[in-house]
Amino acid sequence: MNRSIFLIVLFIMNMMTAQKTERNLSSENWQFKNTQEQNWLSAKIPGTVHLDLMHHKIIPDPFKDENEKKVQWVENEDWEYQTHFNVSTQELKNQHIDLVFKGLDTFSEIYLNGKLLQKTDNMFRKWEIPVKSYLKAGDNELKIKFSSAVKEGKELAKTVPFTMPESPRSFVRKAQYHFGWDWGPRLVTTGIWKDVKLEFWNTAKIRNIQVQQHHVTEASAEISFNMKIFADEEGPYQVELNKQNQSVQLKKGLNTVSVPFKIKNPKIWQPNGWGDPHLYNFKISLSKNKNYLDQTNITTGLRTVELIQEKDAAGKSFYFKVNGKPLYAKGTNWIPAESFSPVMNKEKYHKLIKDTKDANMNMIRVWGGGIYEDDEFYKACDENGILVWQDFMFAGSFYPADEAFLTNVKEEVKEQVERLQNHPSIALWCGNNEVDEAIVNWGYQKQFKYSKEDSLQVWKDYKKLFQEVIPNILKENLTPDKNIYWPSSPSIGWGHKESLTEGDSHYWGVWWGEQPFEMYNEKVGRFMSEYGFQGMPTLETVKSMFSGAPELSVQNSVIKAHEKHSRGWEIINEYMKRDYKIPSDFVQYNYISQLLQARGMRIAVEAHRRAKPYNMGTLYWQLNDCWPVVSWSSIDYLGNWKALHYQMKRSFEQQMVLTEELAGNLNFFAVNDGLKTFSINDLEIKAIDFNGKVLKETKTLSKGKLLDGILKFSPVQIKDVLPESDRNKAFLELTLKAKDGKIVAVSSHFFSKPKDLELMKPDIKIKRISANEIEVSTDVLAKDVYLIGDTHFSDNFFDLLPNTSKKIRLSKSIEKIEVLSLWDVIKN
């Protein structure tokens, strides 16, 4: 080898040694076993012990039949995982080698070549361990011993002198829904649920980068990249930021470096419905003496978010101001989309978030009983303009506040905040879900016979954790523009009148309280962050509950087992009797249960939107499911839109005409959530019978007002629009026009409950326009048209007005499309 070639090879080897590199250990040959047994079986990482046991047919699929009951023994066992991997002599030349576990569920001991390296006790934390001194050239053995989270939790519970509700889950820093919820199975998992890697690095390493927004105008944006860098050597280094170089002087140890950056004519990240959620990509590298040491990429957006709480005559406002403008928040609540988190993939994240965008939503709340979602979730929200209300992972119980627990939580919160802070979608950090309410309203103290001292201790622990520890961590680790904190959702329980005059509200008088849907018109708070009603999943998802041929009956024990609320069927049937006829046919029952759910949520959303700006947010419970189940979701486990999701798409339109019946009058409201304003002329009102005959036409004036938020029209007496004798067989068609004659919004209003409508048999025809488009038409009113087929319809569960047609796109071409309408159910 000549000298020049030798120098090139040497340079390349030095570069390889200098720059940070990674080895993914998840793809090694992993094994697992019960600690009581001798035989090792193959395992998949990332994964859970349930998935591995299912793979080896040791347990059945708990999503099928009534198998959930058959797998409960798994949570009480201890499990071991191991693998062997090779390390080369060249790799050992790196100055630093870290073993990184992105997620261990939950209590474990980590051994490398027989040496105990670390004990873990938090599913939500990353574990990074220096291992250079424990590695050897050639074969290395890595073993993780997991102990039962249930057994560990029970031991921790003994340290408290009184009984904690939901014990032992509240003692365990683990996804709380794993212990079972009223929409999810009890599957208390364990295992290596995220990737494992070896990280090789030298001289210096970028620990974290925080993007801080200082000043933004149309001409320029001034931001800074606040970097935490760990250096072995003191001296000059170079930071390259999108090909702009800056020299920095680092000391030995941890350094904080701020690198300024300017953007000319910046583009602002806008929420869905307001414009483009523009994102900027930044490539950052660290080098010394022209040797690259580390690099990373950051994608972020420029925007401002403020939480506005100002006292007013009614109480106190609660709304988000985004980019300087008040935003009416429309959206939903997110639960984990899989009971076994490692099954979740990028495609499912992006589809579900795209589904929220397509349904005209702009906000999603990550519920506190699940997990801090994967980066792909937040990336999808960034790209689709969906703001995120981010709960910390505490839900519906009391939590301890001993030193060990608080230290653990501090690290958890710090890690998650550092990971998520640069996502422009993050709007708010919330301490917990319903913990304040659980302490104040749920009667646990009486149930468990707490002394006065016990009750005082619970509240003291609550304040320590959610009003001191977590907000202090946020203050230390977030820039002021990213630090919006709310201690608990809701701030006040739904049984108290103040829950409707300030803060955010979870209203469960409908469903839990079995109050009629119409109560939503009265119970309107400043920001409705939870409310909901159950409906069945699609027929496809119901069939997936069975391992064999499905028996479709509400009385079937398999279907009953996939309703986790103890009174679920009873409540659904009670509400169904009020508004519909309860069908005996299962397909029709499935259809009506979905219509019932959609009807209830439409009443709620429209009541909230009519109350703008008193009310400035409506987030229904819930978007998705973690298994096939009867639940509050609008999209079922297999990704199918239920009637509710189609209805939310309509109810969340930017411009709407909403109707209220009150004291014999019709009150009409025009609502505009967009940035564009409209000069309104009048509202056209047509009373039309189910044959399509126009019975009466009238108008109500807006006095030429500008529609830039909400506009209330002059009330109209119901009797002047439609006689009482016609109200079961006619409806109102409402058309809102601008002064230039252009239609701003169209809606319809029915006076009677669905079961009282005097419907006629519609002649519904389906015409093929192309392989992926159809046209649906009818002669008379076709109420709640339900298209059934193995495809996604661009619209479904819709009203087709007399002598009209509607074009529908199909996600894929299918031969057979069946159709139902409400007439098919009430005809008898």
Side-chain angles (χ1 to χ4, degrees), residues 411-431:
E411 290 302 313
E412 169 191 324
V413 171
K414 180 183 176 183
E415 286 180 18
Q416 294 299 336
V417 164
E418 285 188 342
R419 178 173 72 96
L420 301 177
Q421 62 185 334
N422 296 323
H423 288 282
S425 55
I426 298 281
L428 175 140
W429 309 90
C430 181

Short mmCIF file of all heavy atoms in Angstrom, two decimals, residues 411-431:
data_model
loop_
_atom_site.label_atom_id
_atom_site.label_comp_id
_atom_site.label_asym_id
_atom_site.label_seq_id
_atom_site.Cartn_x
_atom_site.Cartn_y
_atom_site.Cartn_z
N GLU A 411 -37.51 12.75 36.47
CA GLU A 411 -36.74 12.30 35.31
C GLU A 411 -37.65 11.99 34.13
O GLU A 411 -37.34 12.30 32.98
CB GLU A 411 -35.90 11.07 35.68
CG GLU A 411 -34.76 11.36 36.63
CD GLU A 411 -33.80 12.40 36.06
OE1 GLU A 411 -33.41 12.28 34.88
OE2 GLU A 411 -33.45 13.34 36.80
N GLU A 412 -38.78 11.38 34.41
CA GLU A 412 -39.76 11.06 33.36
C GLU A 412 -40.23 12.33 32.65
O GLU A 412 -40.22 12.41 31.42
CB GLU A 412 -40.95 10.35 34.00
CG GLU A 412 -42.17 10.17 33.12
CD GLU A 412 -43.38 9.69 33.89
OE1 GLU A 412 -43.22 8.88 34.84
OE2 GLU A 412 -44.50 10.12 33.56
N VAL A 413 -40.64 13.32 33.44
CA VAL A 413 -41.15 14.57 32.88
C VAL A 413 -40.07 15.30 32.10
O VAL A 413 -40.29 15.78 30.98
CB VAL A 413 -41.73 15.47 33.99
CG1 VAL A 413 -42.08 16.86 33.45
CG2 VAL A 413 -42.97 14.82 34.60
N LYS A 414 -38.88 15.36 32.66
CA LYS A 414 -37.76 16.04 31.99
C LYS A 414 -37.46 15.39 30.65
O LYS A 414 -37.31 16.08 29.63
CB LYS A 414 -36.52 16.00 32.88
CG LYS A 414 -35.31 16.69 32.27
CD LYS A 414 -34.09 16.56 33.17
CE LYS A 414 -32.85 17.16 32.51
NZ LYS A 414 -31.64 16.98 33.33
N GLU A 415 -37.37 14.07 30.62
CA GLU A 415 -37.05 13.37 29.37
C GLU A 415 -38.13 13.60 28.32
O GLU A 415 -37.82 13.84 27.15
CB GLU A 415 -36.91 11.87 29.65
CG GLU A 415 -35.62 11.50 30.38
CD GLU A 415 -35.54 10.00 30.62
OE1 GLU A 415 -36.27 9.24 29.96
OE2 GLU A 415 -34.74 9.58 31.49
N GLN A 416 -39.39 13.52 28.72
CA GLN A 416 -40.46 13.65 27.75
C GLN A 416 -40.57 15.09 27.23
O GLN A 416 -40.81 15.31 26.04
CB GLN A 416 -41.80 13.20 28.36
CG GLN A 416 -41.85 11.72 28.69
CD GLN A 416 -41.66 10.82 27.49
OE1 GLN A 416 -41.92 11.21 26.35
NE2 GLN A 416 -41.18 9.60 27.72
N VAL A 417 -40.37 16.05 28.11
CA VAL A 417 -40.42 17.45 27.69
C VAL A 417 -39.28 17.76 26.73
O VAL A 417 -39.46 18.44 25.71
CB VAL A 417 -40.38 18.38 28.92
CG1 VAL A 417 -40.04 19.80 28.53
CG2 VAL A 417 -41.71 18.34 29.65
N GLU A 418 -38.07 17.28 27.04
CA GLU A 418 -36.94 17.50 26.14
C GLU A 418 -37.18 16.85 24.78
O GLU A 418 -36.82 17.41 23.74
CB GLU A 418 -35.66 16.95 26.76
CG GLU A 418 -35.10 17.82 27.89
CD GLU A 418 -33.74 17.35 28.36
OE1 GLU A 418 -33.37 16.18 28.07
OE2 GLU A 418 -33.04 18.13 29.02
N ARG A 419 -37.83 15.69 24.78
CA ARG A 419 -38.09 14.97 23.52
C ARG A 419 -39.13 15.70 22.67
O ARG A 419 -39.01 15.74 21.44
CB ARG A 419 -38.56 13.55 23.82
CG ARG A 419 -38.90 12.72 22.59
CD ARG A 419 -39.20 11.28 22.94
NE ARG A 419 -40.47 11.11 23.61
CZ ARG A 419 -41.61 10.77 23.01
NH1 ARG A 419 -41.64 10.61 21.69
NH2 ARG A 419 -42.72 10.60 23.70
N LEU A 420 -40.15 16.27 23.30
CA LEU A 420 -41.32 16.75 22.57
C LEU A 420 -41.35 18.26 22.36
O LEU A 420 -42.17 18.75 21.58
CB LEU A 420 -42.59 16.32 23.30
CG LEU A 420 -42.78 14.81 23.49
CD1 LEU A 420 -44.04 14.53 24.29
CD2 LEU A 420 -42.83 14.08 22.16
N GLN A 421 -40.50 19.00 23.04
CA GLN A 421 -40.65 20.45 23.11
C GLN A 421 -40.60 21.18 21.77
O GLN A 421 -41.19 22.26 21.63
CB GLN A 421 -39.56 21.03 24.03
CG GLN A 421 -38.16 20.79 23.51
CD GLN A 421 -37.09 21.28 24.50
OE1 GLN A 421 -37.35 22.16 25.28
NE2 GLN A 421 -35.92 20.69 24.44
N ASN A 422 -39.91 20.64 20.78
CA ASN A 422 -39.76 21.36 19.52
C ASN A 422 -40.89 21.12 18.52
O ASN A 422 -40.87 21.69 17.43
CB ASN A 422 -38.42 20.99 18.87
CG ASN A 422 -37.24 21.43 19.72
OD1 ASN A 422 -37.28 22.49 20.35
ND2 ASN A 422 -36.19 20.61 19.77
N HIS A 423 -41.85 20.31 18.90
CA HIS A 423 -43.00 20.07 18.01
C HIS A 423 -43.93 21.28 18.08
O HIS A 423 -44.45 21.60 19.16
CB HIS A 423 -43.74 18.80 18.42
CG HIS A 423 -43.01 17.55 18.10
ND1 HIS A 423 -42.96 17.02 16.82
CD2 HIS A 423 -42.27 16.72 18.88
CE1 HIS A 423 -42.23 15.92 16.84
NE2 HIS A 423 -41.80 15.71 18.07
N PRO A 424 -44.19 21.94 16.96
CA PRO A 424 -45.09 23.10 17.00
C PRO A 424 -46.52 22.73 17.37
O PRO A 424 -47.31 23.59 17.77
CB PRO A 424 -45.02 23.64 15.56
CG PRO A 424 -44.59 22.48 14.73
CD PRO A 424 -43.68 21.67 15.61
N SER A 425 -46.86 21.46 17.27
CA SER A 425 -48.22 21.02 17.59
C SER A 425 -48.51 21.06 19.09
O SER A 425 -49.68 21.17 19.49
CB SER A 425 -48.46 19.61 17.05
OG SER A 425 -47.48 18.71 17.53
N ILE A 426 -47.48 20.95 19.93
CA ILE A 426 -47.71 20.93 21.37
C ILE A 426 -48.22 22.29 21.82
O ILE A 426 -47.52 23.30 21.73
CB ILE A 426 -46.44 20.57 22.16
CG1 ILE A 426 -45.95 19.16 21.79
CG2 ILE A 426 -46.69 20.69 23.66
CD1 ILE A 426 -46.69 18.04 22.45
N ALA A 427 -49.46 22.32 22.34
CA ALA A 427 -50.07 23.58 22.77
C ALA A 427 -50.09 23.73 24.28
O ALA A 427 -49.99 24.85 24.80
CB ALA A 427 -51.50 23.67 22.23
N LEU A 428 -50.25 22.62 24.99
CA LEU A 428 -50.42 22.69 26.44
C LEU A 428 -49.94 21.41 27.09
O LEU A 428 -50.12 20.32 26.55
CB LEU A 428 -51.91 22.92 26.76
CG LEU A 428 -52.34 22.92 28.23
CD1 LEU A 428 -53.38 24.03 28.47
CD2 LEU A 428 -52.93 21.58 28.64
N TRP A 429 -49.34 21.55 28.27
CA TRP A 429 -48.95 20.42 29.11
C TRP A 429 -49.92 20.37 30.28
O TRP A 429 -50.11 21.36 30.98
CB TRP A 429 -47.53 20.59 29.64
CG TRP A 429 -46.50 20.90 28.59
CD1 TRP A 429 -46.12 22.13 28.16
CD2 TRP A 429 -45.73 19.96 27.84
NE1 TRP A 429 -45.15 22.03 27.19
CE2 TRP A 429 -44.89 20.69 26.97
CE3 TRP A 429 -45.66 18.56 27.82
CZ2 TRP A 429 -43.99 20.08 26.10
CZ3 TRP A 429 -44.76 17.96 26.94
CH2 TRP A 429 -43.95 18.72 26.09
N CYS A 430 -50.54 19.21 30.48
CA CYS A 430 -51.52 19.07 31.55
C CYS A 430 -51.06 18.02 32.55
O CYS A 430 -50.63 16.93 32.16
CB CYS A 430 -52.88 18.68 30.96
SG CYS A 430 -54.18 18.50 32.20
N GLY A 431 -51.15 18.35 33.84
CA GLY A 431 -50.61 17.47 34.87
C GLY A 431 -51.21 16.09 34.91
O GLY A 431 -50.51 15.10 35.10
#
